[in-house]
Amino acid sequence: MTPGRPVPPPLAKPLPDLTDAAGPTLAAAYGATAPDSGLVPLTVARRAPKADDVEIAVEFCGLCHSDVHASRGEWGGNTYPLIPGHEIVGRVTRVGSAVDDFTVGERVGVGCMVDSCRECESCLDGLEQYCEKGMTGTYGAKDARNDGAVTQGGYSTSIVVDRNYVLRIPEGLDPAAAAPLLCAGITTFSPLNHFEVEEGDAVGVVGLGGLGHMAVKIAKAMGAEVTVFTTSERKFAAARELGADHVVLSTDPAAMEAADRSLDVIIDTVAAPHDLNPYFRTLRVDGALFQLGLPSEAMPPVNPGSLIRRRIAYAGSLIGGIEETQEMLGFCAEHGVVSDIELVGADQLNEAYDRMVAGDVKYRFVLDASTLGTPAEKADA
């Protein structure tokens, strides 16, 4: 596996001095002001930490493909300005009066959610991502506990988050390369963990992008034998570099037939419509296919016979709860697993978005928040 990243870590930046800060603060940010605006410099007002809040100076924030969809209005229902970013790593700068489990200077992270109802069965079971009233997303969501203000994400120099949704980043992890673990990492870890993948199991990974490369690394760290399915022969070498034991060209009927009944679980990361039936045939009895990619158009129909004849489960999975995400971070630290990244500055964000859409990234972009500059005197959001 490739444990590191292809760029050296940037020099550490001193934490801002907020000793005398009592109220809200202004943060430099990049975000969209309209679906066609691209990402532009903005200033965001961050609330003063309440009793249970943690204020974080952002060091790095991963770029997720969902950020592109949201900022460009492709999912609808957006409120602008919109500051994306839900793969956040930084250092604690202030804590609320009731916070005794985080300290100033500690490295922490924030993932895809910053709140949930905390009362439903899912929340009480540590499955906040499946909150029956809907989790509060890190950006673009109404924050019920903070007067319905719209949340703004991690393409900014600071953020304030309730302590219950803040994660500890193990010091052994490269902080920039760890940022995508908070979305891509937990999204792939959770179904593998749910299926209890262990040494000797056979795992298939469909697609080799941001999610797929993390699925390969995590499954290998769990001891599984990994098969990557790809439509491009150009990705064969890359899959093997990541640790894949086998690579199958999914457009080759003979290669797919040779993989019949060879797998216990498949992680499907492809976000474009594709036929699942050939992949079901690669599963053994009691196998499962987890759908992680969310196509914007209808998928070809599933043949129920493919499921029935081998008692196959077809399931979906959404990130992970706070406890499981913390477990994932510990697992990745223990096994030296991080994302392969390309670090970008604020002035490269729009180019990075275009490259993500074109598939020109190996495998995740991460924003260096030190390049965001300084906030203006008045907030835009």
Side-chain angles (χ1 to χ4, degrees), residues 97-353:
S97 59
V99 177
D100 58 7
D101 49 350
F102 291 100
T103 57
V104 171
E106 185 176 2
R107 177 165 280 140
V108 294
V110 179
C112 301
M113 57 183 164
V114 292
D115 204 356
S116 61
C117 81
R118 312 185 197 184
E119 298 174 348
C120 70
E121 185 175 348
S122 293
C123 285
L124 294 176
D125 285 344
L127 299 171
E128 299 93 342
Q129 74 274 34
Y130 301 122
C131 176
E132 294 166 21
K133 296 182 181 179
M135 67 177 182
T136 302
T138 305
Y139 65 84
K142 290 186 177 180
D143 189 347
R145 291 184 212 277
N146 289 284
D147 302 319
V150 175
T151 57
Q152 302 290 356
Y155 296 8
S156 59
T157 51
S158 71
I159 192 169
V160 178
V161 179
D162 186 289
R163 58 165 293 277
N164 292 289
Y165 298 82
V166 177
L167 298 145
R168 287 181 171 79
I169 304 297
E171 288 293 341
L173 290 176
D174 179 326
L181 298 179
L182 297 166
C183 178
I186 185 57
T187 297
T188 50
F189 177 89
S190 186
L192 292 167
N193 190 40
H194 180 75
F195 200 78
E196 299 181 346
V197 168
E198 59 186 4
E199 187 172 357
D201 287 338
V203 173
V205 177
V206 183
L208 196 66
L211 287 175
H213 98 287
M214 288 307 312
V216 172
K217 288 189 174 193
I218 291 171
K220 285 296 296 181
M222 290 177 170
E225 181 178 336
V226 176
T227 298
V228 169
F229 295 93
T230 177
T231 59
S232 172
E233 291 187 67
R234 291 180 295 126
K235 292 193 174 182
F236 276 41
R240 292 192 176 100
E241 287 174 5
L242 290 166
D245 299 284
H246 314 285
V247 189
V248 175
L249 187 66
S250 58
T251 55
D252 181 349
M256 291 296 290
E257 184 176 355
D260 184 69
R261 295 179 185 265
S262 63
L263 302 172
D264 298 298
V265 60
I266 294 174
I267 303 297
D268 189 333
T269 69
V270 176
H274 56 291
D275 187 2
L276 296 175
N277 294 293
Y279 298 106
F280 290 134
R281 290 192 283 273
T282 70
L283 287 167
R284 298 167 177 155
V285 172
D286 286 333
L289 187 151
F290 284 93
Q291 186 75 46
L292 304 186
L294 184 61
S296 58
E297 300 174 10
M299 293 272 284
V302 168
N303 177 8
S306 299
L307 309 179
I308 292 169
R309 283 190 288 271
R310 299 183 192 176
R311 200 161 61 186
I312 287 170
Y314 175 37
S317 185
L318 176 68
I319 55 171
I322 297 300
E323 183 178 354
E324 187 178 42
T325 304
Q326 192 66 64
E327 178 187 354
M328 176 273 304
L329 288 167
F331 174 90
C332 288
E334 179 183 354
H335 294 276
V337 174
V338 288
S339 183
D340 285 9
I341 70 164
E342 181 177 336
L343 203 63
V344 297
D347 61 351
Q348 299 171 290
L349 283 170
N350 289 302
E351 178 188 357
Y353 270 26

